[in-house]
Amino acid sequence: MAHRRLLLLLLALSPGCHRWSSDGSAAAGLKTLNSAQQDFQAHDRDEDGVKNFWVRDVAGLYGFDPGKGPIKLTDISLAQADRTLGKGRYASVPKEAPYVESYSYAALKRYRESGKSVAYDDGTGRNPSHFGIVAFPEEYSESSKLTFILNEKNTLYSKDTRGRPPEEFPEDPLKEGWKPLSP
């Protein structure tokens, strides 16, 4: 996983490689958010006594405050790039801005399982076993054209969705044309 993240970062920083600059940085951002989710669950960062994932939004992985200050499990730029509908308000995330000037992120609200659409959020902004996050271009263009999805299984998928984020995490991403990026 660390080797893949390093490769994505190197590609993102490579001069003259603008497409990889945007798309590669967006994928690397999702891997960072995956690490934040794993930390949130493993260390009970909301201090509710339950090991769960944060599914309300992306910004909460930075700005959620259990009473001791924001948890800051990711960097502020990812929190500011959150476009989740109905996201929370966090004093430590005062403005919105696209990530690396071209990508936005959102917590997916639903996933498919056994042919049914299931909500991630149990009403508390948490889920004990599932999460889904999408990275999509702020403006669809040749340099920012891929949409990426990631879930708790830590498999990153990409697809050209013409800049439209999916409504839910697919039950079988491969059957729906998503391509896995190896970890």
Side-chain angles (χ1 to χ4, degrees):
M1 181 171 103
H3 289 96
R4 178 71 180 156
R5 190 176 316 162
L6 178 61
L7 175 62
L8 288 171
L9 287 173
L10 289 173
L11 288 171
L13 297 173
S14 297
C17 195
H18 188 68
R19 173 156 183 228
W20 276 105
S21 175
S22 296
D23 291 347
S25 292
L30 271 179
K31 287 296 193 170
T32 299
L33 291 170
N34 178 64
S35 295
Q37 284 284 15
Q38 299 305 323
D39 184 286
F40 187 92
Q41 183 191 46
H43 301 289
D44 190 25
R45 296 297 182 184
D46 58 354
E47 301 178 3
D48 68 351
V50 179
K51 295 194 177 203
N52 44 35
F53 293 114
W54 181 257
V55 296
R56 175 172 295 139
D57 52 27
V58 171
L61 291 168
Y62 180 90
F64 179 78
D65 184 348
K68 301 177 196 171
I71 58 175
K72 296 184 180 180
L73 296 179
T74 189
D75 64 66
I76 186 74
S77 61
L78 286 166
Q80 290 173 325
D82 187 3
R83 301 297 181 271
T84 305
L85 295 176
K87 71 179 177 182
R89 293 181 183 253
Y90 307 96
S92 60
V93 185
K95 65 176 185 166
E96 286 188 355
Y99 186 65
V100 290
E101 299 181 20
S102 61
Y103 267 83
S104 293
Y105 294 81
L108 291 170
K109 299 297 185 182
R110 307 188 72 73
Y111 63 98
R112 301 243 3 128
E113 185 173 71
S114 302
K116 296 180 182 173
S117 183
V118 181
Y120 281 110
D121 193 340
D122 64 5
T124 67
R126 296 151 181 86
N127 186 300
S129 56
H130 298 285
F131 75 85
I133 303 173
V134 60
F136 57 96
E138 243 338 92
E139 292 183 29
Y140 180 78
S141 69
E142 190 58 36
S143 64
S144 301
K145 66 188 311 181
L146 294 177
T147 296
F148 300 91
I149 56 174
L150 176 81
N151 69 4
E152 69 284 345
K153 295 176 183 167
N154 192 24
T155 303
L156 180 63
Y157 295 94
S158 68
K159 182 177 176 179
D160 183 348
T161 64
R162 309 217 38 90
R164 294 181 298 275
E167 296 287 321
E168 62 188 5
F169 200 97
E171 187 164 2
D172 187 343
L174 297 175
K175 282 187 180 176
E176 293 191 27
W178 292 90
K179 293 181 171 85
L181 281 90
S182 54

